[in-house]
Amino acid sequence: MPSIIDHDHSKMRFNASSMIFVRFLLQILVIWCIIYLINHLLLRYHETKRPYIRLLRSLGCHISIFSIGFYTTSFNRVFYRIGTSNSRLWKIWFTMGILIAFATAMIACLTLLILPIKYIYEIQRRIPSDREFTMNTNNDVRSFTEEKSSKQNNAIENERDKLLIQPIIPGVNVPLEQMPHFFLALLLCTIFHEFGHAVAASAEQIRVNGCGYFLFLLYPGAYVDLHQEQLQMISAVRQLRIYCAGVFHNMILVAIAVIFLLLNPMFLRYFYTEAATVYRVAKDSPIRNLLPVHSMIQSVDACTVNTSNDWYRCLRSINERYPHQSSGYCLTQTEIQLHSSHIELNQSIHYDCCQNLSQKNYCFLYHSKQYPDNNGGCMEARIVTKHPSCLINSDCQSYNGDSSCVHPFSQDNVTRLIRITHSSGPTILFVGSIHEIYRTISIQSYKPNYIYFPTMLIHDIPLFFQYLGAFSFALAFFNAVPCYALDGQYILSSFVEYLSPSLFKRRRASILLGLIFGTCLLIINVSLAFARYFL
């Protein structure tokens, strides 16, 4: 059944992505092991130990297993000058940050409460269909419930990418070619987050001891080192301005990213022309040498392509049909006889009429007035595909009254003969799975009107802002939750102190309960996110 086949392919795609991720992870681990080994050897030998330690201290560098960090005081004066200039305006700015952080915290906690309930409801909703599958014994009913279960599994596969909280895994849900966008966006989010803390502290006359940035495996991060004794001596409101500054600045980045993504299509309409332009062809693509980057796709089989949406719509429509139901080509009986290596009359749909006679030849099915059953003709694919396209025999009446619509045929119901026309060369005939085309070719909907206009504005920069907005919102979302080791821990402490400055015991109990609640809530949701994504 089509749904079962599609589900198998979705499993194959996920397994392929998992293999890419495992290979990529192994490469990262090997690189880190080499770095750690070199660091260990340089510290072990007397000839290299002293100069190497001197170099590390000058850079403020510290290397440990799977991690490298840098600490510097070079930006302390910069933070001080920015924070002390117009300090009154900065205090107003960061007071607004308290309100934004509290609103984010309310939304985050409410969301983290609702998501587990929603997940439990979805599990209960799937249980009846599983019971129905086990109780039915009739073959027809069992086939129907299998198809229904398969469709539900397909829906789960499609919903996986729509999860509000999901793990970020290079090679699985982050393509490896997008790693520069991923890395730069995450680095900018963390730096801007810590920049907010540093400027807010300077505006409140709190000394910044230094700042640092680090790389753990592949994930960058940053932090600021504040004078803790001075920080504890100021009022709760002033502390809140400092602690909420990171969440506030991340939400500012979210607003900037959203504004850019809303305005970018308007800009593209004036300086770019709508066209289905090839943006990327993967190295493992079977048509990498045939389809140049920046060429424009014109059609896929009989489906016209003008934008990237058209491209993916055409691929989906081809994939939803059986191979012998795909678009065919109009040939007369004389042409079929002329071009066929041999003909199989009354052919079974489980029999390939070509039997690998030649790489140029392909098996085509057709019906004619003389032979109304399935007939197979083994013909050269490039000659056949030059004829007019059709879906049924009646589409060929305008071509010739004696013509038939011949359809490409494959025995495995997966292999396709796909005809791709583009602007930069001859028509491409691809034989294989439609998923290979979908996976290895990326299409964008615009081409620049002028040579000096970069194509980065079409795809790369919007993609960067998508990552920037997503990562900024994630940092703000999680740091707003009252959880140990996150900004929410200090925000909650300062807020409770503001509400009850004199009742130390009650304040301490409230903080402890709030942190336990927030930490458990976050752990539950992160665990469910991994479970929903991989199970």
Side-chain angles (χ1 to χ4, degrees), residues 233-257:
M233 291 174 65
I234 61 177
S235 66
V237 175
R238 295 174 67 188
Q239 289 180 14
L240 282 172
R241 292 195 190 107
I242 297 172
Y243 293 140
C244 294
V247 174
F248 178 47
H249 274 213
N250 280 134
M251 294 305 292
I252 294 297
L253 278 184
V254 172
I256 293 172

Side-chain angles (χ1 to χ4, degrees), residues 136-177:
N136 288 321
T137 56
N138 183 273
N139 290 335
D140 294 335
V141 179
R142 183 179 299 169
S143 175
F144 174 77
T145 50
E146 284 178 357
E147 183 176 1
K148 183 178 179 182
S149 176
S150 178
K151 288 181 179 179
Q152 289 176 347
N153 290 332
N154 283 334
I156 295 170
E157 293 281 343
N158 294 331
E159 289 175 0
R160 177 179 282 131
D161 294 332
K162 299 178 182 179
L163 297 177
L164 182 62
I165 299 175
Q166 58 178 281
I168 302 172
I169 306 172
V172 178
N173 55 0
V174 178
L176 297 183
E177 63 272 8

Side-chain angles (χ1 to χ4, degrees), residues 210-227:
C211 63
Y213 47 97
F214 61 89
L215 183 68
F216 177 74
L217 285 176
L218 197 64
Y219 298 95
Y223 63 93
V224 290
D225 180 18
L226 303 179
H227 195 287

Side-chain angles (χ1 to χ4, degrees), residues 38 163 179 184 243 268 272 301 304 321 336 338 363 381 426 480 505 520:
I38 293 173
L163 297 177
M179 287 307 297
L184 289 175
Y243 293 140
L268 291 177
Y272 294 83
D301 284 351
T304 304
R321 301 172 185 165
I336 294 173
L338 177 64
C363 185
K505 291 184 178 180
C520 292

Side-chain angles (χ1 to χ4, degrees), residues 341-371:
S341 300
H342 71 274
I343 293 177
E344 295 284 346
L345 300 178
N346 301 321
Q347 178 184 329
S348 168
I349 61 172
H350 301 293
Y351 179 72
D352 186 356
C353 62
C354 276
Q355 292 294 300
N356 299 322
L357 288 179
S358 170
Q359 292 183 351
K360 295 182 179 180
N361 289 357
Y362 204 83
C363 185
F364 293 86
L365 292 184
Y366 66 94
H367 303 276
S368 63
K369 294 179 181 178
Q370 187 177 2
Y371 302 104

Side-chain angles (χ1 to χ4, degrees), residues 199-453:
V199 173
S202 298
E204 297 295 340
Q205 301 297 317
I206 302 299
R207 190 175 74 194
V208 178
N209 295 328
C211 63
Y213 47 97
F214 61 89
L215 183 68
F216 177 74
L217 285 176
L218 197 64
Y219 298 95
Y223 63 93
V224 290
D225 180 18
L226 303 179
H227 195 287
Q228 292 300 315
E229 291 182 1
Q230 293 181 1
L231 193 58
Q232 296 301 321
M233 291 174 65
I234 61 177
S235 66
V237 175
R238 295 174 67 188
Q239 289 180 14
L240 282 172
R241 292 195 190 107
I242 297 172
Y243 293 140
C244 294
V247 174
F248 178 47
H249 274 213
N250 280 134
M251 294 305 292
I252 294 297
L253 278 184
V254 172
I256 293 172
V258 169
I259 290 171
F260 174 84
L261 293 173
L262 290 175
L263 294 179
N264 189 58
M266 303 178 189
F267 177 80
L268 291 177
R269 289 193 191 99
Y270 286 101
F271 298 99
Y272 294 83
T273 301
E274 197 172 44
T277 308
V278 178
Y279 167 70
R280 181 188 65 87
V281 181
K283 292 181 180 179
D284 59 339
S285 175
I287 59 174
R288 178 178 175 82
N289 298 326
L290 302 175
L291 186 62
V293 176
H294 304 314
S295 59
M296 289 177 288
I297 302 294
Q298 296 166 341
S299 66
V300 181
D301 284 351
C303 187
T304 304
V305 177
N306 294 316
T307 65
S308 61
N309 290 334
D310 293 340
W311 165 262
Y312 295 113
R313 176 182 55 80
C314 291
L315 293 182
R316 282 194 298 270
S317 65
I318 294 171
N319 186 56
E320 288 170 357
R321 301 172 185 165
Y322 286 107
H324 61 273
Q325 294 174 337
S326 60
S327 62
Y329 304 91
C330 295
L331 275 77
T332 63
Q333 292 302 310
T334 304
E335 290 171 328
I336 294 173
Q337 294 288 340
L338 177 64
H339 299 308
S340 295
S341 300
H342 71 274
I343 293 177
E344 295 284 346
L345 300 178
N346 301 321
Q347 178 184 329
S348 168
I349 61 172
H350 301 293
Y351 179 72
D352 186 356
C353 62
C354 276
Q355 292 294 300
N356 299 322
L357 288 179
S358 170
Q359 292 183 351
K360 295 182 179 180
N361 289 357
Y362 204 83
C363 185
F364 293 86
L365 292 184
Y366 66 94
H367 303 276
S368 63
K369 294 179 181 178
Q370 187 177 2
Y371 302 104
D373 296 326
N374 279 326
N375 305 307
C378 183
M379 296 177 278
E380 187 173 338
R382 190 161 292 278
I383 294 176
V384 174
T385 54
K386 290 180 179 179
H387 290 74
S389 300
C390 59
L391 289 175
I392 55 177
N393 280 349
S394 59
D395 295 338
C396 299
Q397 295 301 317
S398 58
Y399 177 67
N400 190 296
D402 188 35
S403 60
S404 300
C405 187
V406 298
H407 297 269
F409 168 75
S410 64
Q411 188 176 359
D412 57 9
N413 276 344
V414 175
T415 304
R416 310 276 179 156
L417 172 63
I418 301 171
R419 184 174 184 266
I420 303 174
T421 59
H422 60 99
S423 61
S424 301
T427 299
I428 298 172
L429 293 182
F430 169 79
V431 177
S433 170
I434 191 70
H435 298 293
E436 284 297 307
I437 298 291
Y438 187 91
R439 182 181 64 83
T440 60
I441 299 175
S442 298
I443 303 295
Q444 58 192 14
S445 295
Y446 296 92
K447 66 169 185 175
N449 292 335
Y450 308 99
I451 299 176
Y452 52 83
F453 265 79

